[in-house]
């Protein structure tokens, strides 16, 4: 039986991954952990843990007899530009702490990379798996260096570490943690609350995106795939859809008549301009059968339906 530790489980992705893993492996076999003291899941086993504290990380792994670690703790792209040295420390030392324990205790590891590994000199259309990678954000630099470490630990120490380069992740169950694609999460909350949405990217900024259920499915599918199907040990390109702020606005407007948007690009525009428009994820599709389910309109319909149901419950209680 697998015993799973999620590091950074209070975050936007961790919140959704945790409940899916609990459903698959059982309540007692999935342990959430975060630097934040209080867990944001109602029913889960939880440990207060800073991934930079390797002694405490080892204690938690031993206490629960952990066999798999999902390392989600990170500082994201927009916050990273405000705190570059802290971002380097958290994103790099956190990964090295996990990889070292994975080496000595034979743990299986999941670690997410990002389209931020690409930079202004990368081909923007259908960006290939292997291409020019000169990221100019500290976040992108940590993800690129992290990919090299993952491959190194696999080659040199046979650590079974697996990784995906996520595009912008869009969910409605929790608020995002400081990324450049966060506008595509916030926009739904403003639409439901009938407020004007101030978008921090310009209307035609095209970026690769993915609805959270697809990202969760991709992650678990990759971790469950037989070893011999995993040919890439740095990180797999992963894609579902690409859209711009004006395209997601129009998709919402179909269902929320009268919704308004204003564009006020800020420092995040420069980050977005350095990233690809679309991603070639053919290796993930060929190697372990990746297939996405949601496009822009089906995601919009699902998010608005769920947010409306949530606000009805909140009004009633
Ligand atoms: P998030 O910011 O919402 O969550 C990160 C969590 O990590 C937070 O709960 C935070 O408290 C915790 N954390 C931060 N520092 C920590 C530390 N030192 N020790 C323990 N916990 C710590 O981020 P997310 O959106 O859930 O992203 C999860 C992972 O996916 C990250 O590695 C991120 O780089 C990657 N990713 C996310 C996106 C996206 O669009 N959200 C896109 C590409 C890649």
């Amino acid at each position: 039986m697998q015993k799973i530790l999620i590091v950074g489980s209070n975050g936007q992705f961790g919140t959704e991954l945790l409940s899916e893993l609990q459903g698959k492996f059982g309540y007692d076999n999935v342990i959430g952990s975060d630097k934040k003291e209080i867990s944001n899941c109602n029913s889960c086993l939880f440990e207060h843990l800073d991934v930079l504290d390797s002694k405490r990380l080892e204690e938690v792994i031993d206490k629960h007899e952990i066999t798999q670690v999902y390392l989600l703790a990170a500082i994201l792209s927009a916050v990273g530009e405000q705190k570059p040295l802290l971002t380097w420390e958290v994103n790099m030392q956190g990964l090295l702490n996990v990889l070292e324990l994975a080496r000595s205790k034979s743990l299986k590891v999941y670690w997410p990379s990002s389209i931020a590994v690409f930079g202004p000199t990368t081909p923007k259309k259908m960006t290939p798996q292997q291409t020019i990678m000169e990221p100019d954000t500290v976040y992108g630099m940590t993800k690129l260096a992290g990919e090299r470490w993952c491959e190194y630990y696999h080659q040199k120490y046979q650590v079974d570490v697996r990784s995906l380069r996520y595009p912008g992740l869009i969910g409605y169950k929790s608020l995002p943690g400081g990324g450049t694609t966060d506008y595509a999460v916030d926009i739904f909350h403003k639409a439901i609350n009938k407020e004007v949405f101030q978008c921090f990217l310009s209307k035609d900024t095209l970026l690769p995106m993915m609805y959270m259920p697809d990202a969760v499915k991709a992650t678990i599918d990759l971790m469950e795939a037989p070893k011999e199907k995993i040919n890439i040990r740095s990180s797999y390109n992963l894609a579902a859809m690409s859209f711009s702020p004006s395209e997601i606005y129009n998709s919402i407007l179909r269902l929320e008549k009268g919704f308004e948007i204003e564009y006020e690009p800020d420092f995040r525009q420069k980050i977005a301009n350095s990233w690809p428009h679309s991603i070639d994820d053919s290796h993930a599709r060929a190697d372990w059968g990746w297939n996405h389910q949601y496009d822009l309109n089906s995601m919009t319909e699902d998010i608005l339906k769920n947010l409306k149901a949530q606000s009805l419950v909140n009004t009633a209680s």
Side-chain angles (χ1 to χ4, degrees):
M1 179 46 87
Q2 299 300 325
K3 292 259 334 222
I4 296 172
L5 175 67
I6 304 179
V7 182
S9 62
N10 273 10
Q12 196 200 0
F13 183 63
T15 306
E16 305 217 17
L17 181 70
L18 187 134
S19 64
E20 198 63 31
L21 287 174
Q22 272 184 334
K24 194 170 171 62
F25 292 98
Y27 170 91
D28 290 338
N29 295 316
V30 183
I31 289 91
S33 73
D34 204 281
K35 193 182 169 177
K36 290 183 192 137
E37 251 173 87
I38 312 285
S39 160
N40 65 357
C41 68
N42 293 329
S43 56
C44 72
L45 300 173
F46 183 80
E47 296 281 354
H48 181 216
L49 168 69
D50 183 335
V51 72
L52 295 180
D53 183 347
S54 58
K55 197 160 160 280
R56 169 89 182 121
L57 177 64
E58 184 167 11
E59 266 169 33
V60 170
I61 286 171
D62 290 347
K63 176 179 161 189
H64 295 280
E65 299 179 333
I66 294 298
T67 60
Q68 296 188 9
V69 178
Y70 285 71
L71 171 56
L72 309 180
I75 296 182
L76 274 65
S77 57
V79 176
E81 292 308 287
Q82 317 294 334
K83 300 174 183 170
L85 297 186
L86 181 68
T87 302
W88 182 262
E89 191 191 358
V90 172
N91 295 8
M92 290 285 72
Q93 196 55 52
L95 174 61
L96 290 171
N97 288 350
V98 170
L99 288 174
E100 269 301 290
L101 288 169
R103 172 162 84 106
S104 58
K105 295 176 188 292
S106 302
L107 307 173
K108 191 169 176 179
V109 175
Y110 177 76
W111 174 80
S113 185
S114 159
I115 55 161
V117 291
F118 302 117
T121 51
T122 303
K124 288 208 181 299
K125 268 169 86 176
M126 291 302 277
T127 301
Q129 176 69 40
Q130 276 145 346
T131 184
I132 303 167
M133 294 163 99
E134 296 180 319
D136 61 1
T137 61
V138 68
Y139 175 71
M141 286 156 57
T142 65
K143 291 298 186 186
L144 180 53
E147 287 190 7
R148 303 320 307 150
W149 277 117
C150 288
E151 185 159 320
Y152 186 87
Y153 269 75
H154 177 71
Q155 303 280 8
K156 186 138 183 168
Y157 307 120
Q158 294 75 52
V159 172
D160 189 357
V161 51
R162 304 175 181 202
S163 176
L164 297 170
R165 291 174 183 154
Y166 293 138
L169 302 182
I170 303 161
Y172 63 89
K173 294 187 182 166
S174 61
L175 293 172
T180 302
T181 53
D182 289 359
Y183 87 85
V185 177
D186 294 336
I187 193 169
F188 287 101
H189 295 272
K190 292 290 186 298
I192 285 286
N193 294 329
K194 312 245 174 276
E195 292 171 39
V196 177
F197 179 59
Q198 316 277 345
C199 185
F200 60 72
L201 296 183
S202 66
K203 63 188 295 197
D204 297 323
T205 310
L206 190 62
L207 287 171
M209 301 278 191
M210 182 173 287
Y211 190 27
M212 205 55 96
D214 272 340
V216 169
K217 180 181 177 305
T219 304
I220 297 176
D221 283 358
L222 176 73
M223 284 297 270
E224 294 294 291
K227 251 185 194 173
E228 58 279 8
K229 297 212 174 229
I230 311 297
N231 296 316
I232 294 173
R233 291 292 183 162
S234 53
S235 190
Y236 276 96
N237 273 8
L238 190 74
M241 58 183 123
S242 290
F243 59 77
S244 65
S246 69
E247 286 169 329
I248 191 174
Y249 167 71
N250 283 321
S251 177
I252 296 173
L253 192 62
R254 286 182 311 123
L255 303 167
E256 291 297 313
K257 306 285 179 221
F259 179 45
E260 288 179 56
I261 188 166
E262 288 168 5
Y263 298 96
E264 289 178 17
D266 66 13
F267 72 98
R268 288 167 279 196
Q269 185 67 47
K270 180 171 177 278
I271 301 176
N273 288 347
S274 74
W275 290 351
H277 295 161
S278 56
I279 299 287
D280 173 0
D281 64 352
S282 48
H283 286 277
R285 290 174 193 263
D287 286 2
W288 44 276
W290 159 242
N291 211 348
H292 69 281
Q293 191 189 338
Y294 288 91
D295 62 12
L296 175 56
N297 284 339
S298 54
M299 175 186 77
T300 299
E301 283 152 27
D302 198 60
I303 294 181
L304 289 175
K305 184 183 80 191
N306 281 291
L307 281 179
K308 278 181 188 164
Q310 253 177 30
S311 74
L312 280 178
V313 171
N314 292 343
T315 321
S317 57

